[in-house]
Amino acid sequence: MFDKILIANRGEIALRILRACKELGIATVAVHSTADSDAMHVRLADESVCIGPPPARDSYLNIPALIAACEITGADAVHPGYGFLSENARFAEVLGHHGIAVVGPRAEHIRMMGDKIEAKRTAKRLGIPCVPGSEGGVSDDVEAKRVAAEIGYPVLIKAASGGGGRGMKVARTEDDLSDALATARAEALAAFGDASVYLEKYLEKPRHIEIQVLGDGRGRAIHLGERDCSLQRRHQKVWEEGPSPALNEAEREEIGNTVARAMQELRYAGAGTVEFLYEDGRFYFIEMNTRVQVEHPVTEMITGIDIVNEQIRVAAGAELSVTQDEVKLTGHAIECRINAEHPATFRPSPGLITYFHPPGGLGVRVDSAAYQGYRIPPNYDSLVGKLIVHGRTRNECLMRLRRALDEFIVDGIDTTLPLFRSLVRNPDVQNGLYDIHWLERFLAAEAAA
Ligand code: MV4
């Protein structure tokens, strides 16, 4: 096992990783920018190193500074968390060259899944169902028109280097296609330095359902069921839950086993998430995330498996602690991402938290690095904390969530807590009747009222 892990992150995920290290008896190194000297991850770690000024590119994304921090402290592994360098294949390689282990998959798999065309080609080869579309990239109108005619309109043009919804264009008819293709390619080139795009059938009202996986890198891989992340705004997840209200047990088993078999064949190492669109009873692969995700606690609450602990074990060359047969899904969990933003306009609201009272009680978990007297800096994402609630049934979970949200006090800044208090009381949400467009429609209607 590792002796010392450097956590290349901040905020609630840095605390989450610290907790897993503590339980494994591994010493911890926090890194921080000058804006984060008073951050809780710095206080709770065994050691800390200041790695640069507030802008992330000069600190949390600064690879030489992170390598130096490893050398100075003698850390033998790095956990990148999510965001920042977590899906940077070059960072994984550079750490390897310095003899430092990475808690995460091999650089080869990070790179493969970072190229959405290659990811899709790989998924298809491994027997994972994909959205009908082009085989590889499309570069000219003639080819695009041929593919679109074959799969039928509407079609969606996506950037190979995109992901998370950036650089997508819908073409409803053949008349739209040429312009959509040119715009998509220009935007992809400007945003990612890569004009490669591919084409898919556009699904009008799918749900976003993702499968959590764990692999040991030697051909053992398991799935931990799914999370339904359809409630999103501008490609930012807002509310995640598991199991999905839309799936039955047979569908869950089939997609889970398909994904687990694929990860076995890849010899995937560590935690990953395979994302699907789900419409009319069918799954369509969209992308794979090669990191621990913000919403991983949903899965931890319904499986009892510590996902970060499993990541660390596997990175150190140990076995996964569980077999597929031992994974049992129990009850229901919902996560709310509480952001420091205005609940209607979503305007960021950094600043001083004058009072902080998180909820508690049975089945209630709060993952947060905030505290009374903490000043949220304006330089990073606006996540104040995640409220995760578990219940034996979805209804129990909803009742408990309503209670926990009413108990949560954060004064001094705007937060999205009022939005969640309204969502938990909404009949569509209560009945699980939502798709990926539901939340934006709801917010537009609220704004108009
Ligand atoms: C799609 C789609 C409809 N049809 N692909 C957006 C994020 C990126 N990962 C994939 N995305 C989508 N891909 C096809 N063929 C609709 C979306 C999409 C979406 C997906 C998941 C969650 C929220 C979304 C919001 C808008 C569009």
Side-chain angles (χ1 to χ4, degrees):
M1 190 39 74
F2 302 122
D3 293 317
K4 193 186 274 191
I5 291 182
L6 182 141
I7 299 159
N9 217 302
R10 63 183 301 283
E12 69 85 21
I13 194 63
L15 262 61
R16 173 68 190 83
I17 298 162
L18 275 164
R19 289 174 176 139
C21 291
K22 270 242 149 80
E23 292 181 13
L24 283 161
I26 300 169
T28 51
V29 180
V31 295
H32 67 92
S33 71
T34 53
D36 276 343
S37 302
D38 295 329
M40 191 54 79
H41 75 284
V42 174
R43 181 155 173 177
L44 292 182
D46 296 304
E47 292 174 78
S48 64
V49 180
C50 181
I51 50 166
R57 89 188 82 86
D58 300 320
S59 50
Y60 298 103
L61 293 170
N62 182 343
I63 294 178
L66 287 161
I67 302 285
C70 289
E71 310 254 281
I72 290 162
T73 57
D76 46 13
V78 169
H79 196 310
Y82 54 68
F84 296 129
L85 295 166
S86 61
E87 291 178 288
N88 185 313
R90 198 166 52 88
F91 182 50
E93 281 165 355
V94 172
L95 286 167
H97 296 152
H98 285 79
I100 303 160
V102 193
V103 181
R106 289 192 285 285
E108 139 204 18
H109 288 151
I110 298 176
R111 193 166 280 126
M112 168 189 281
M113 298 307 172
D115 177 338
K116 306 304 163 190
I117 294 176
E118 201 191 336
K120 191 172 172 186
R121 192 181 293 123
T122 304
K124 201 170 173 190
R125 172 171 65 79
L126 297 173
I128 295 175
C130 294
V131 192
S134 54
E135 300 272 343
V138 286
S139 43
D140 61 82
D141 286 6
V142 176
E143 195 186 358
K145 280 184 184 163
R146 183 184 56 74
V147 175
E150 202 177 294
I151 62 178
Y153 289 87
V155 297
L156 186 61
I157 303 160
K158 294 182 169 180
S161 301
R166 295 174 308 164
M168 304 196 313
K169 282 280 165 292
V170 182
R172 297 241 158 232
T173 67
E174 189 173 289
D175 294 342
D176 301 341
L177 191 58
S178 181
D179 281 358
L181 185 63
T183 311
R185 288 179 63 82
E187 285 184 12
L189 184 63
F192 317 112
D194 173 12
S196 314
V197 298
Y198 61 108
L199 205 141
E200 282 185 351
K201 174 87 185 167
Y202 178 65
L203 304 176
E204 299 273 5
K205 44 176 182 39
R207 299 177 77 111
H208 173 125
I209 297 179
E210 57 186 31
I211 310 291
Q212 175 71 56
V213 296
L214 292 172
D216 71 355
R218 289 166 299 190
R220 269 192 229 275
I222 60 173
H223 74 88
L224 304 181
E226 83 283 7
R227 296 182 289 257
D228 194 318
C229 308
S230 301
L231 291 174
Q232 315 205 3
R233 178 185 171 269
R234 298 194 180 171
H235 303 294
Q236 293 293 315
K237 293 169 185 164
V238 168
W239 162 303
E240 303 105 344
E241 63 179 299
S244 169
L247 294 194
N248 63 43
E249 193 48 52
E251 292 176 294
R252 175 170 300 116
E253 274 231 356
E254 175 170 328
I255 194 66
N257 289 334
T258 299
V259 168
R261 269 200 308 274
M263 293 304 117
Q264 288 159 18
E265 201 165 322
L266 263 191
R267 302 192 169 267
Y268 186 78
T273 304
V274 181
E275 297 190 338
F276 292 91
L277 298 177
Y278 174 82
E279 191 175 80
D280 298 331
R282 277 200 273 279
F283 283 95
Y284 304 92
F285 171 87
I286 43 173
E287 28 193 279
M288 178 171 183
N289 300 314
T290 53
R291 60 170 192 275
V292 68
Q293 286 192 278
V294 177
E295 61 271 26
H296 77 279
V298 166
T299 300
E300 293 187 328
M301 299 291 268
I302 60 175
T303 61
I305 295 167
D306 179 333
I307 291 172
V308 179
N309 175 296
E310 298 298 326
Q311 285 188 293
I312 296 170
R313 293 170 59 90
V314 163
E319 306 265 287
L320 294 171
S321 76
V322 283
T323 63
Q324 189 71 64
D325 286 347
E326 290 166 345
V327 177
K328 292 278 173 286
L329 301 187
T330 306
H332 196 92
I334 299 173
E335 174 178 281
C336 300
R337 293 195 194 186
I338 319 290
N339 284 343
E341 293 169 353
H342 189 277
T345 65
F346 297 94
R347 196 183 114 101
S349 178
L352 183 68
I353 297 178
T354 56
Y355 194 81
F356 189 76
H357 176 80
L362 180 62
V364 176
R365 166 175 172 180
V366 176
D367 278 19
S368 174
Y371 56 89
Q372 189 167 325
Y374 176 60
R375 183 177 289 278
I376 299 175
N379 313 85
Y380 311 106
D381 71 23
S382 57
L383 188 66
V384 189
K386 307 182 303 202
L387 169 60
I388 311 101
V389 172
H390 183 263
R392 289 170 299 178
T393 62
R394 187 168 186 271
N395 267 332
E396 186 175 76
C397 188
L398 285 166
M399 287 189 290
R400 188 164 283 157
L401 176 59
R402 190 178 59 206
R403 182 275 288 175
L405 285 164
D406 288 348
E407 221 175 287
F408 209 148
I409 306 173
V410 183
D411 288 342
I413 56 166
D414 285 333
T415 76
T416 50
L417 275 165
L419 168 64
F420 291 107
R421 293 185 186 123
S422 145
L423 289 178
V424 76
R425 289 169 173 82
N426 181 280
D428 285 349
V429 173
Q430 287 178 352
N431 292 317
L433 298 176
Y434 54 77
D435 61 26
I436 61 171
H437 304 296
W438 189 93
L439 183 59
E440 297 206 18
R441 277 199 308 264
F442 170 82
L443 292 168
E446 292 284 290

